[in-house]
Amino acid sequence: MKNKLLLLLALSIAFFTGCKNDDNPEPPTIDKIVGQYSGENLKATIDGISAPEGTSVQIIQKDDNTTSFKLINIVPGYPEFEISNVRFEALSRTYYSQLKGSITDNVSGYSVQANANIEDEIMEINITITEIEGEPASAESFYNKTFKGEMAINLGLAPITMTQRVYVNKPSDKDPNKLRLRIENFSFQGINLGTIQLDTISFVKRGEVYGFTAKDRELTDLEIPGVTGVKLTARGAIVEDHIMKLNLVVDASPLTVNVTFTGDTITESVDTKINLIIEGDAVATQPDNSKTSSSSGEKASFAPQTDRSPFRRTVTMTNISGDISVSYIPKEGDSVIAESAGKEFPVHLTSIVTSGGEGIIYETGTPVLVAKIYK
């Protein structure tokens, strides 16, 4: 009987000791949960839908002791998206950590909220992504601007970086609240894929930032070997009126190419030559080489040609000796100045016919004229 009483006493002590330990667990600390969560260690939902494969979430502790979420392959158009100043709380009663963070980012055009619980090295996170609409704004002050900076092309491996230019012009519908983007000689790994051109992109203002978005645009000028039906989504912003941040997602199924660009406005000063190629009932004559081009256009002249015999060669290029120093090279949407009988009038460069190593040939608003702008 005495032995039974001793056994019951021992069991009672063990039971109460266990309860005491459960009631007072050691709370988790932020340094124990810092790291990247993916695969089986991540249960994520995005706007109520389970996140696709390939997504991951990283918890980062900064040097200033603040905590951030890095969302990888979660926010559309942004392979990596950071939420700073995440709030951490250790819930000691059940041995799990809770983190909450949100950001309204006018540059990306997204408002993102994330709430996460971490227990037994598994993260459960709910993410809400909302687009910031913005107010329609005039893009006219950015027409004929060139942005030069670093472009990074990411195919899922190490990004390929290069110096690139992005050109902004007036859209074909002439809507002042829209713009046209062009990236020439888009290439990677030594393969020139052509020109990326996006027309009639809506332009908005979000706070102090200008933004623009084009979704699922078909690219007919971009040639990726073995791929047809290439589509592109572009999200961009202009910060402080002179810095462009641009994210492109090129959908060339099964290949997805993520492109980022950050550049500043530049004024290019180059030596160039310009010829107006006259077709139809006109023939070019020698222009006055003493005139120097400016942003208003280039100088050329032509005289009427009355002979309209079919298949007769009627194309004559101007013969300019030497180089003409210019501060700006005309582009699509610009106007150049032509001269006839001592009178000047504008010739509008409406669309690109073709381009090559020497320059670009444009259709113009004058039916009998095309213009070739030499680089």
Side-chain angles (χ1 to χ4, degrees):
M1 184 69 179
K2 184 178 180 180
N3 290 335
K4 289 182 179 180
L5 289 173
L6 290 173
L7 179 60
L8 288 173
L9 180 60
L11 290 173
S12 298
I13 293 172
F15 174 77
F16 286 115
T17 301
C19 290
K20 183 176 180 181
N21 289 338
D22 288 340
D23 291 339
N24 298 280
E26 181 182 351
T29 56
I30 186 66
D31 59 290
K32 293 183 179 179
I33 62 171
V34 166
Q36 188 160 324
Y37 296 80
S38 60
E40 296 180 353
N41 295 99
L42 178 66
K43 298 178 180 179
T45 60
I46 305 171
D47 296 328
I49 301 173
S50 295
E53 293 184 4
T55 60
S56 60
V57 177
Q58 188 174 359
I59 298 175
I60 303 170
Q61 189 173 22
K62 300 293 185 70
D63 292 339
D64 59 2
N65 291 324
T66 61
T67 304
S68 296
F69 281 135
K70 180 180 284 187
L71 309 181
I72 301 170
N73 297 328
I74 290 177
V75 178
Y78 291 82
E80 295 183 354
F81 189 94
E82 186 168 320
I83 301 176
S84 58
N85 297 316
V86 170
R87 187 172 70 255
F88 167 76
E89 185 178 1
L91 302 179
S92 59
R93 60 183 178 82
T94 52
Y95 280 108
Y96 75 90
S97 303
Q98 187 177 81
L99 299 98
K100 295 182 179 180
S102 63
I103 187 172
T104 297
D105 182 20
N106 286 323
V107 174
S108 67
Y110 287 116
S111 177
V112 182
Q113 184 174 4
N115 298 323
N117 295 330
I118 301 175
E119 186 174 6
D120 296 331
E121 299 183 352
I122 295 176
M123 174 188 285
E124 293 185 5
I125 185 168
N126 298 315
I127 301 166
T128 303
I129 303 173
T130 306
E131 288 195 52
I132 305 171
E133 295 295 334
E135 296 294 329
S138 173
E140 292 178 299
S141 63
F142 298 103
Y143 292 166
N144 303 322
K145 296 270 189 181
T146 301
F147 294 81
K148 180 181 178 181
E150 183 176 274
M151 177 171 285
I153 301 175
N154 192 338
L155 297 171
L157 303 173
I160 302 168
T161 60
M162 65 192 71
T163 299
Q164 184 59 277
R165 289 170 173 79
V166 177
Y167 302 96
V168 178
N169 293 107
K170 182 186 297 184
S172 59
D173 63 2
K174 298 179 174 60
D175 186 336
N177 295 334
K178 295 179 182 178
L179 52 78
R180 178 187 300 185
L181 284 183
R182 190 173 77 255
I183 303 172
E184 296 179 354
N185 301 319
F186 181 70
S187 62
F188 64 91
Q189 294 182 334
I191 304 174
N192 191 336
L193 302 179
T195 298
I196 291 178
Q197 184 163 252
L198 299 171
D199 197 6
T200 61
I201 305 174
S202 296
F203 195 70
V204 300
K205 192 169 187 181
R206 302 186 289 253
E208 298 301 316
V209 175
Y210 292 100
F212 51 90
T213 302
K215 298 181 180 179
D216 295 328
R217 298 288 187 91
E218 291 189 1
L219 297 180
T220 57
D221 295 332
L222 199 63
E223 299 180 0
I224 298 179
V227 176
T228 58
V230 179
K231 291 186 177 181
L232 181 143
T233 294
R235 293 182 179 275
I238 298 176
V239 184
E240 299 177 355
D241 292 338
H242 66 95
I243 298 173
M244 177 182 286
K245 294 181 177 292
L246 181 63
N247 283 68
L248 307 175
V249 178
V250 182
D251 182 6
S253 184
L255 184 67
T256 299
V257 183
N258 290 290
V259 181
T260 60
F261 170 84
T262 299
D264 204 342
T265 53
I266 60 169
T267 301
E268 296 183 296
S269 180
V270 297
D271 289 335
T272 188
K273 294 184 288 185
I274 177 172
N275 285 356
L276 284 183
I277 304 174
I278 311 304
E279 291 185 343
D281 58 349
V283 60
T285 60
Q286 178 70 25
D288 183 356
N289 290 339
S290 65
K291 297 180 180 180
T292 302
S293 68
S294 65
S295 59
S296 63
E298 309 288 345
K299 305 293 182 181
S301 62
F302 65 90
Q305 175 77 22
T306 56
D307 188 351
R308 299 189 181 184
S309 302
F311 306 110
R312 181 180 181 275
R313 177 173 178 171
T314 59
V315 178
T316 303
M317 292 187 180
T318 59
N319 181 18
I320 300 176
S321 59
D323 293 333
I324 302 176
S325 296
V326 299
S327 59
Y328 175 77
I329 301 176
K331 299 181 178 64
E332 188 173 5
D334 292 346
S335 293
V336 297
I337 302 299
E339 183 180 303
S340 178
K343 295 182 179 181
E344 296 181 347
F345 61 92
V347 176
H348 188 63
L349 307 179
T350 57
S351 60
I352 295 175
V353 177
T354 186
S355 62
E358 288 187 341
I360 303 173
I361 297 177
Y362 296 90
E363 291 183 344
T364 74
T366 305
V368 298
L369 298 179
V370 293
K372 183 173 184 178
I373 308 297
Y374 280 91
K375 298 178 180 178

